[in-house]
Amino acid sequence: MIISKDECLRFFNENQEFLIVSHEHPDGDTLGCAFALCEALRLMGKKRAFLCADEVTKDFSFMTDSFSPDRLSNPVVVCVDVADDALLGPVAEELRGKIDLCIDHHMSNTFYAKSTYLVDRAAACEIIYDLITALPVEVNRYIRNCIYTGISTDTGCFRYQNTTADTFKAAAELTEEGIDAGLINKRMFETKSKSFLQLEMLARETLEYHYDGKCAVITITQDMYKKSGSSEHECHPITALPRQIEGVLVGAVFKENEEGKFSISVRTEEGIDASEICGRLGGGGHKGAAGCRPDCTYEEAKELLLNSVKKSLEGLK
Amino acid sequence: MIISKDECLRFFNENQEFLIVSHEHPDGDTLGCAFALCEALRLMGKKRAFLCADEVTKDFSFMTDSFSPDRLSNPVVVCVDVADDALLGPVAEELRGKIDLCIDHHMSNTFYAKSTYLVDRAAACEIIYDLITALPVEVNRYIRNCIYTGISTDTGCFRYQNTTADTFKAAAELTEEGIDAGLINKRMFETKSKSFLQLEMLARETLEYHYDGKCAVITITQDMYKKSGSSEHECHPITALPRQIEGVLVGAVFKENEEGKFSISVRTEEGIDASEICGRLGGGGHKGAAGCRPDCTYEEAKELLLNSVKKSLEGLK
């Protein structure tokens, strides 16, 4: 059932015990939502605890360090920024059928909760902020920092296309009231681990250009994870790199999985359809970003991909 | 003479011909100011032209491509985002004493113009936007794109500490009315030249850690510029890198100049004074970022710097 903002507010006002749940591999948005909400509920005199399948990384220690959960006897269960209950990971099983409310911004939400409050905003934290300011709570710096973390991380610090006027308005309000943007931005956007730097160097050494520099390919192997002490979780910025190179229309990153097979992520410039390129190899996705996992060797996969890229580049003329 | 906003508006309403001047090595803010202002003046039926000591790079072609200057006979001269007339570069000489108005956001402004309109904002473009919305002009998408470019580049896309609630409010308004943020962000923040990538790889290969990883050093040589086809102008993101590494308190970058000597830029975490570190080598700067140019060999310079870093690290305890 889809519910309104008023119904959502009533839910928080009327219930007394809350279990707030984030998705697995938690990011700034799901955690910002959860801890801002927990703090607002604490200020309202409610009892609350937090659940997530994975441990929260130390990047978010400013949220967790001062958090002490309440003992709950019979809580309502609220998922934040979770589009599908499969994304809850290992805790999905014990929660199935017991999730009372989901607050989310993904239009792909599968409505697994008894009630869903869904709003199309850049970050789920924008929705939570909007709710908290309508609850009988004095919003404090901790809440603002949580919300800012969600908004800034889900928009690539206001850089992605999902950033709207509402996003900037929320950021203006948070900044006006006082946040630790310097510390948060440094932690979220300006800090690189030594192992990531090492992985990036190894990966960049494999950079190759094809078709007059219109296509760039980078390969990341299991061996590189071992050598660098890094892991697939840190790969994300490398995935974006090939297409960021001047003149490159199609950027592809080959990532070796544990079975020695390669998944390929493709990013393209406007005018070239990444999902078409990956579709020819049995994959799919969006126009600007897509992926595939061809069941063959690295060399075969590369040949298949480059042929597909060639076809799409030819279609440009 | 410092003038008010009303006096500034009167200046634009009452004069008919304007020469708008940007600082040398022009960046997004000075250019955004200049071209937004030129367009507003055109819409007011005024004549205007643009002057800058250096050519505008193709990053800003969306501003310049559609710009055609008017022929001016006796214009008033307006400098935008220029703190000191020395920053006008080679055109400073011909303009000296003839600059009628300076619009600026640097509190270090030297008041070289007959009149100065100075406001403490993150970007000079915020001031220009504020002025243009008070002129009898319908603000169009071109103007908004120019202003957004200045605001986003001068704040590192809302990431630097200078970002205020006013910055976000301006961005909200611009976004609400319609801008090409996707294209501008891609061009300003997401595009890397092949030569820069190459330079960065060569520079990163020199990365070394000292004092248990608390100090990281990178070296950029003239030879690397030659090998990569890059130049010192592209160095900026590399200068920031060492201090971004997790656990690093002092990041230093050695850059070889044309005479084979090295300048050193130092960036530090809170609690360690970069100007103190560089001061011991005859340089100076701010607490978080400073520089020096010791007159000695690379090896000697490195030894001097590391000794100075050691002293400051010892002071931490």
Side-chain angles (χ1 to χ4, degrees):
Chain A
M1 186 175 61
I2 288 191
I3 62 167
S4 68
K5 182 176 169 184
D6 279 345
E7 288 167 312
C8 199
L9 292 170
R10 199 173 317 133
F11 178 91
F12 288 110
N13 279 312
E14 289 179 357
N15 286 292
Q16 300 309 321
E17 294 196 344
F18 299 82
L19 179 64
I20 310 295
V21 190
S22 281
H23 62 70
E24 63 177 340
H25 311 310
D27 59 9
D29 197 26
T30 194
L31 293 172
C33 285
F35 287 98
L37 200 49
C38 280
E39 174 68 358
L41 292 167
R42 186 187 71 81
L43 293 170
M44 287 169 75
K46 313 276 185 180
K47 292 193 168 174
R48 77 290 175 271
F50 167 75
L51 179 68
C52 179
D54 294 297
E55 223 174 313
V56 178
T57 62
K58 67 179 186 308
D59 284 349
F60 303 100
S61 58
F62 83 88
M63 295 184 190
T64 51
D65 277 357
S66 61
F67 179 76
S68 94
D70 297 309
R71 247 172 224 228
L72 307 180
S73 51
N74 188 25
V76 291
V77 178
V78 183
C79 290
V80 285
D81 188 40
V82 183
D84 186 320
D85 57 1
L87 300 172
L88 294 170
V91 303
E93 208 50 56
E94 68 178 276
L95 292 178
R96 194 150 290 150
K98 295 180 196 156
I99 299 164
D100 297 286
L101 174 63
C102 164
I103 302 175
D104 191 23
H105 69 131
H106 297 95
M107 291 302 114
S108 57
N109 191 290
T110 59
F111 302 106
Y112 56 87
K114 292 175 199 162
S115 300
T116 303
Y117 180 54
L118 188 67
V119 190
D120 189 8
R121 297 289 291 261
C125 268
E126 292 181 41
I127 308 168
I128 297 289
Y129 182 53
D130 195 44
L131 287 171
I132 291 178
T133 51
L135 287 171
V137 164
E138 191 146 340
V139 177
N140 60 24
R141 196 175 186 98
Y142 174 91
I143 290 176
R144 287 193 297 271
N145 281 337
C146 290
I147 299 291
Y148 177 79
T149 301
I151 292 178
S152 61
T153 53
D154 250 33
T155 60
C157 211
F158 310 97
R159 202 170 281 187
Y160 301 158
Q161 300 255 23
N162 62 355
T163 307
T164 67
D166 284 333
T167 315
F168 282 125
K169 277 180 207 163
E173 237 178 88
L174 294 164
T175 307
E176 188 118 61
E177 297 295 317
I179 51 170
D180 299 305
L183 288 173
I184 296 170
N185 291 344
K186 180 160 173 44
R187 178 44 63 189
M188 299 298 143
F189 307 110
E190 307 263 300
T191 304
K192 301 181 184 201
S193 73
K194 285 171 182 151
S195 55
F196 169 77
L197 276 183
Q198 183 80 42
L199 176 67
E200 201 189 21
M201 281 293 277
L202 293 169
R204 279 171 63 164
E205 274 163 20
T206 70
L207 174 65
E208 45 184 72
Y209 296 107
H210 298 271
Y211 309 130
D212 290 333
K214 291 196 186 77
C215 174
V217 178
I218 278 179
T219 303
I220 306 174
T221 63
Q222 289 288 324
D223 193 46
M224 291 178 190
Y225 296 137
K226 273 188 216 114
K227 272 189 186 148
S228 63
S230 183
S231 72
E232 211 194 317
H233 295 302
E234 292 195 304
C235 273
H236 186 70
I238 305 176
T239 310
L241 182 65
R243 210 231 28 204
Q244 287 175 358
I245 302 167
E246 203 168 19
V248 169
L249 303 178
V250 181
V253 174
F254 285 69
K255 275 186 233 168
E256 187 182 20
N257 61 29
E258 279 163 28
E259 296 78 41
K261 298 283 180 195
F262 284 80
S263 67
I264 313 174
S265 30
V266 172
R267 307 250 182 134
T268 53
E269 277 297 285
E270 238 179 84
I272 303 216
D273 189 341
S275 70
E276 185 187 88
I277 291 172
C278 292
R280 295 194 194 99
L281 281 78
H286 304 279
K287 282 200 166 175
C292 55
R293 295 170 183 269
D295 188 21
C296 54
T297 67
Y298 173 68
E299 285 71 24
E300 288 164 346
K302 193 142 92 182
E303 202 187 325
L304 285 172
L305 182 84
L306 288 174
N307 281 333
S308 182
V309 169
K310 196 178 176 189
K311 270 188 199 154
S312 290
L313 286 173
E314 282 166 358
L316 260 188
K317 288 159 202 164
Chain B
M1 186 176 62
I2 287 190
I3 63 167
S4 69
K5 182 177 170 183
D6 280 343
E7 288 167 311
C8 198
L9 292 170
R10 199 175 313 133
F11 178 90
F12 288 110
N13 279 312
E14 289 178 357
N15 287 291
Q16 299 308 321
E17 294 196 343
F18 299 81
L19 180 64
I20 310 295
V21 190
S22 281
H23 62 69
E24 64 177 342
H25 312 309
D27 59 9
D29 197 25
T30 193
L31 293 173
C33 285
F35 287 97
L37 200 48
C38 280
E39 174 68 358
L41 292 167
R42 186 187 71 80
L43 293 170
M44 287 169 75
K46 313 277 186 180
K47 292 192 166 176
R48 77 289 175 270
F50 167 74
L51 180 67
C52 179
D54 294 297
E55 223 173 313
V56 177
T57 61
K58 67 177 186 312
D59 284 349
F60 302 101
S61 59
F62 84 88
M63 295 184 190
T64 52
D65 278 355
S66 61
F67 179 76
S68 93
D70 297 308
R71 247 170 223 231
L72 307 180
S73 52
N74 189 25
V76 291
V77 178
V78 183
C79 289
V80 283
D81 189 40
V82 183
D84 186 320
D85 57 2
L87 300 171
L88 294 170
V91 304
E93 208 50 56
E94 67 178 277
L95 292 178
R96 194 150 291 150
K98 294 179 195 156
I99 299 164
D100 296 287
L101 175 61
C102 165
I103 302 175
D104 191 23
H105 68 131
H106 297 96
M107 291 302 113
S108 57
N109 190 289
T110 59
F111 301 105
Y112 55 87
K114 291 174 199 161
S115 299
T116 303
Y117 180 54
L118 189 67
V119 190
D120 189 7
R121 297 289 289 261
C125 268
E126 291 182 42
I127 308 168
I128 297 289
Y129 182 54
D130 195 43
L131 287 170
I132 291 179
T133 51
L135 286 171
V137 164
E138 191 145 339
V139 178
N140 60 25
R141 196 174 186 99
Y142 174 92
I143 290 177
R144 288 193 295 270
N145 280 337
C146 289
I147 299 291
Y148 177 79
T149 302
I151 292 178
S152 60
T153 53
D154 251 33
T155 59
C157 212
F158 310 97
R159 203 169 282 189
Y160 302 158
Q161 299 257 22
N162 62 355
T163 307
T164 67
D166 285 333
T167 315
F168 282 124
K169 278 180 205 161
E173 238 178 88
L174 294 164
T175 306
E176 189 118 60
E177 297 295 318
I179 51 170
D180 299 305
L183 289 172
I184 296 170
N185 290 343
K186 179 161 172 45
R187 179 43 62 191
M188 299 298 143
F189 306 110
E190 306 264 301
T191 305
K192 303 182 182 197
S193 73
K194 286 173 182 152
S195 55
F196 169 77
L197 276 184
Q198 183 80 43
L199 176 66
E200 202 189 19
M201 280 293 277
L202 293 168
R204 279 170 63 164
E205 273 163 20
T206 70
L207 174 64
E208 46 184 70
Y209 296 107
H210 298 271
Y211 309 130
D212 289 332
K214 291 196 186 77
C215 173
V217 178
I218 278 180
T219 303
I220 306 173
T221 64
Q222 288 288 323
D223 193 44
M224 291 178 192
Y225 296 137
K226 273 188 216 114
K227 273 191 186 146
S228 62
S230 184
S231 71
E232 211 193 318
H233 294 302
E234 293 195 303
C235 274
H236 187 69
I238 305 176
T239 310
L241 182 65
R243 210 228 30 201
Q244 287 175 359
I245 302 167
E246 202 167 19
V248 169
L249 303 178
V250 181
V253 174
F254 284 69
K255 276 186 235 170
E256 188 182 19
N257 61 28
E258 280 164 27
E259 295 78 41
K261 298 282 182 196
F262 284 80
S263 67
I264 312 174
S265 31
V266 172
R267 307 249 182 136
T268 53
E269 277 298 285
E270 240 181 84
I272 302 216
D273 189 340
S275 70
E276 184 187 271
I277 291 171
C278 291
R280 295 194 193 100
L281 280 77
H286 304 278
K287 283 200 166 177
C292 55
R293 293 170 184 270
D295 188 21
C296 55
T297 67
Y298 173 68
E299 285 70 24
E300 287 163 348
K302 193 142 90 180
E303 200 186 326
L304 285 171
L305 182 85
L306 288 174
N307 280 333
S308 182
V309 168
K310 195 177 173 190
K311 270 187 198 155
S312 290
L313 285 174
E314 281 167 357
L316 260 188
K317 290 158 204 167

